[in-house]
Amino acid sequence: MKPSRPLLSPRPSSRPAAPVRTQTGGANPPVAAQDRTLLLLNKPYMVLCQFTDEGGRETLKDYVKEPGIYAAGRLDRDSEGLLLLTNDGKLQAQLTQPGEKTPKTYWVQVEGMVSDEALAALRAGVELNDGMTLPAEARIMAEPEVWPRNPPIRARQAIPTCWLEIKIVEGRNRQVRRMTAHIGHPTLRLIRYAIGAWTLDGLAPGQSRALTPGEMPSPAPRPRAPRAAPTRMAASTPARGQPPARATDKASTGASSKGSGRASARRPARKA
């Protein structure tokens, strides 16, 4: 019998562990620090990570009622788990910028039993069609006690499954699924358990909670403008072929004048 609320912790393992969207299409306006909101949502399976859909499919609007709040990052429709939502455009950028390298932890049920060599490939980085992935943290984990998926995964009696915990800092399209497919183990179920230090603990599918002021992340510091290097007055350089200018002062000029005057006084006057 499954528990009424998710127990988001794995059973002890017997094996060693090896763009911002608004309803008007613009960006979120700046929000005062005391008015910032950040929600943790456990996004259910087959829910679109957006607030509108012309096809009538389930979206975030069916689970999030707070006005003026939007997803910080994305999660595929066929993936489940933690999604962050905020009303602050600056916070949204802080949480999603690639340079921040925020780790994201996934619990992944894959087809087949994963070998140590396959785990080593994930840890080293694998070559996908859009380039090499950064090294990931990957280990085999015990089956977590989570909510049942509806509909359940495709199960084959002749092919076993296992669970992996994979931690990455990138956010490419369907990256984890492509990584497990690359090592020969297609993903059957994918749950994002954590983003940074925030986790799904205590959240059933469709439930959300707002972070308290003490849990809110600090604003990103503003980058300092580089200081201008001090400039030195360059000494004037004479043109090529010209002698350097001689320094003169009043004393030398005066002495010269007096000398010429005495010379003139000694010279006898010419007769007319």
Side-chain angles (χ1 to χ4, degrees):
M1 180 177 179
K2 294 291 181 179
S4 58
R5 89 181 177 106
L7 301 176
L8 292 170
S9 57
R11 300 188 184 100
S13 177
S14 58
R15 300 186 61 174
V20 183
R21 182 204 63 81
T22 67
Q23 293 175 350
T24 58
N28 290 343
V31 177
Q34 65 272 16
D35 297 327
R36 292 191 307 164
T37 299
L38 183 61
L39 286 185
L40 308 183
L41 170 70
N42 186 349
K43 187 191 84 68
Y45 180 64
M46 298 307 284
V47 172
L48 286 171
C49 194
Q50 58 196 49
F51 282 83
T52 59
D53 180 57
E54 296 179 356
R57 295 172 293 182
E58 277 194 311
T59 68
L60 299 178
K61 187 177 181 180
D62 297 299
Y63 299 92
V64 178
K65 304 304 180 184
E66 287 80 355
I69 197 164
Y70 309 100
R74 298 191 61 82
L75 197 58
D76 296 329
R77 183 174 179 239
D78 54 351
S79 299
E80 311 160 69
L82 186 60
L83 184 68
L84 304 181
L85 300 102
T86 182
N87 63 342
D88 184 9
K90 289 185 177 180
L91 178 58
Q92 191 272 350
Q94 180 181 341
L95 294 171
T96 57
Q97 285 178 352
E100 293 297 324
K101 298 274 191 297
T102 303
K104 295 174 281 291
T105 304
Y106 296 88
W107 290 350
V108 192
Q109 187 178 13
V110 298
E111 192 174 85
M113 300 304 296
V114 180
S115 66
D116 292 338
E117 291 76 14
L119 289 175
L122 295 177
R123 294 168 186 155
V126 295
E127 180 74 35
L128 303 179
N129 57 5
D130 53 357
M132 285 288 295
T133 65
L134 293 176
E137 294 183 27
R139 69 179 184 92
I140 295 175
M141 63 180 290
E143 180 181 354
E145 295 183 358
V146 292
W147 57 91
R149 202 188 76 174
N150 185 24
I153 66 164
R154 179 187 74 256
R156 300 180 183 180
Q157 293 183 351
I159 301 178
T161 69
C162 73
W163 284 83
L164 302 178
E165 182 181 81
I166 299 176
K167 184 181 294 186
I168 61 175
V169 294
E170 297 176 284
R172 305 188 200 181
N173 183 44
R174 300 180 73 80
Q175 179 175 341
V176 173
R177 296 178 184 274
R178 291 190 291 146
M179 289 170 64
T180 64
H182 181 86
I183 62 171
H185 297 274
T187 291
L188 302 175
R189 187 179 183 186
L190 189 146
I191 300 171
R192 184 157 67 192
Y193 169 69
I195 300 175
W198 298 306
T199 72
L200 280 180
D201 291 336
L203 291 177
Q207 287 186 341
S208 64
R209 77 172 183 91
L211 295 185
T212 64
E215 295 176 305
M216 292 289 289
S218 301
R222 294 182 179 179
R224 294 183 179 181
R227 293 183 179 180
T231 56
R232 296 182 178 179
M233 296 296 294
S236 59
T237 304
R240 182 175 297 177
Q242 296 291 332
R246 293 181 178 179
T248 60
D249 57 338
K250 291 182 179 180
S252 61
T253 304
S256 175
S257 299
K258 290 179 181 180
S260 59
R262 286 195 296 269
S264 300
R266 296 193 187 101
R267 190 177 299 157
R270 292 183 180 178
K271 293 183 180 181

